[in-house]
Amino acid sequence: MAVSATAAAPNPTTGREGPKPPAQPWVRFGVRRLGRLLVSLWVLVTASFAMIHLIPGDPVRGALGPTAPVELVEARRQALGLNDPIPTQYLHYLKGLLTGDLGTSIASQLPVSDVVAQRLPATLSLAVLAFLGSVVVAIPLGVLMGVLTRRGHGRRTELAFTTTSVFVATVPDFLIGVALIYVFGIRLGWLPVAGDETAAAYVLPVFSLAVGPAAILARIVRVEMVGVLEADFVRTARAKRLPARTVYLGHALPNAVTAALTLGGLLLGAMVAGTVLVENVFAWPGLGSTIVQSILTKDYPVVQAIVLVYGVGVLITNLVVDVALAVLDPRSKIRED
């Protein structure tokens, strides 16, 4: 600090200020993360544009059908700018994004932003509820398993927990959804299996999305908890004869969930992407079912927009996790920069 203060002081000979002290670590951290986010967004936008235009076939003909008049197809291509060179279309696409214009649906002739706005709440509610449900179940379960299986205790409990969690985590969520529909919707008739009109309709799709990530998260929390319980600061807390609840929840848990938070952010992104299949299994009126319909009809402006929404959601989730980790453990995250 003394060196920085001397360097920043005015030069007694020239009267000019010396070199400025280095920017604060938090400022550098924020600038770097924002720069990475912008670069990732540009790559995502370019990749989604290229992906759609590499798909063979005429999107207008695909959307209007094989019996549509040639004049109508050509007029629609001209109106959408599809007769322009690819670089020109790319520049128009970027300009539209910067002004908030996502284009017009080829099939419905509605603004794509309206289509996304109608479907996005259903997808977000499904993903957020699944994430919260997985966290609420996984963290207490992981902590409990960590306490029961530390120092080699509870070998049978550990084996049963590990086997079950690995099995659950490896089953695709849409297969879990199909099994839940058969058991609770068809055989027992307890819960609705389609739509989002009632609160009960959320149960099966949320469970389908949450059960796999909850199993993964619980395993991570258990491993971290076992390691933290052997740390010196926990031994010191026990030596002070603090209550067990204070030791586990006040000292061990905050340190054990740091790795779980990182994984939880990645799982949230995976959950958002996983809604594509689960929404189609449960006829959920969200972005996942819309993108499948749009791919089948080659309604590529809608496909591009939904791909962007999913990608931006994952990028923002990762940014939030990075900031949260930096707040919880500034030494590890900020020093990376």
Side-chain angles (χ1 to χ4, degrees):
M1 296 299 294
V3 174
S4 300
T6 303
N11 189 313
T13 304
T14 62
R16 298 176 180 175
E17 291 187 356
K20 294 182 178 179
Q24 295 297 323
W26 277 103
V27 175
R28 295 201 305 271
F29 173 79
V31 170
R32 287 179 182 273
R33 285 296 183 273
L34 183 60
R36 292 177 189 177
L37 176 65
L38 294 177
V39 172
S40 300
L41 283 175
W42 175 76
V43 172
L44 175 65
V45 168
T46 305
S48 65
F49 177 86
M51 175 186 66
I52 294 300
H53 284 76
L54 288 175
I55 296 176
D58 186 349
V60 177
R61 173 64 69 182
L64 298 181
T67 59
V70 177
E71 295 78 10
L72 177 60
V73 174
E74 185 59 29
R76 189 68 60 83
R77 289 183 57 83
Q78 188 69 30
L80 293 172
L82 296 179
N83 292 328
D84 296 334
I86 294 296
T88 303
Q89 293 184 45
Y90 178 64
L91 292 177
H92 287 164
Y93 178 57
L94 291 180
K95 183 180 178 181
L97 290 180
L98 292 176
T99 57
D101 181 11
L102 297 176
T104 303
S105 168
I106 297 176
S108 65
Q109 290 295 294
L110 294 173
V112 175
S113 57
D114 290 351
V115 176
V116 172
Q118 292 172 0
R119 301 288 183 153
L120 183 60
T123 297
L124 279 181
S125 62
L126 185 62
V128 170
L129 286 175
F131 177 72
L132 295 177
S134 65
V135 170
V136 168
V137 172
I139 291 182
L141 180 60
V143 171
L144 178 63
M145 288 296 107
V147 173
L148 294 178
T149 61
R150 66 188 179 93
R151 293 183 178 179
H153 298 302
R155 303 289 296 182
R156 291 184 179 179
T157 303
E158 179 184 357
L159 180 62
F161 171 74
T162 302
T163 304
T164 304
S165 60
V166 169
F167 173 76
V168 171
T170 54
V171 179
D173 46 17
F174 67 91
L175 285 182
I176 296 175
V178 172
L180 293 175
I181 287 175
Y182 176 75
V183 175
F184 295 99
I186 298 176
R187 300 293 297 180
L188 300 176
W190 290 353
L191 295 168
V193 298
D196 66 341
E197 289 78 12
T198 63
Y202 279 79
V203 176
L204 296 184
V206 166
F207 188 85
S208 302
L209 271 178
V211 64
I216 298 173
L217 200 56
R219 292 193 64 193
I220 298 298
V221 173
R222 188 198 76 83
V223 172
E224 293 293 320
M225 195 68 182
V226 169
V228 168
L229 289 176
E230 301 302 321
D232 292 339
F233 68 92
V234 174
R235 293 176 180 173
T236 302
R238 286 203 187 96
K240 293 179 179 178
R241 298 187 180 279
L242 295 178
R245 184 172 59 182
T246 303
V247 174
Y248 293 138
L249 301 182
H251 294 268
L253 181 60
N255 293 278
V257 298
T258 302
L261 182 59
T262 305
L263 181 63
L266 299 176
L267 290 177
L268 178 57
M271 283 182 184
V272 174
T275 57
V276 174
L277 294 176
V278 172
E279 284 185 7
N280 282 276
V281 170
F282 290 95
W284 194 262
L287 292 178
S289 55
T290 304
I291 194 173
V292 172
Q293 295 169 4
S294 301
I295 290 173
L296 294 176
T297 59
K298 297 185 184 299
D299 195 351
Y300 82 91
V302 177
V303 177
Q304 278 184 158
I306 295 178
V307 168
L308 280 181
V309 170
Y310 276 109
V312 169
V314 172
L315 291 175
I316 292 178
T317 300
N318 290 334
L319 177 65
V320 171
V321 170
D322 278 348
V323 173
L325 287 175
V327 172
L328 290 175
D329 189 2
R331 292 171 301 176
S332 63
K333 293 304 295 182
I334 293 180
R335 283 179 181 175
E336 289 179 5
D337 298 311

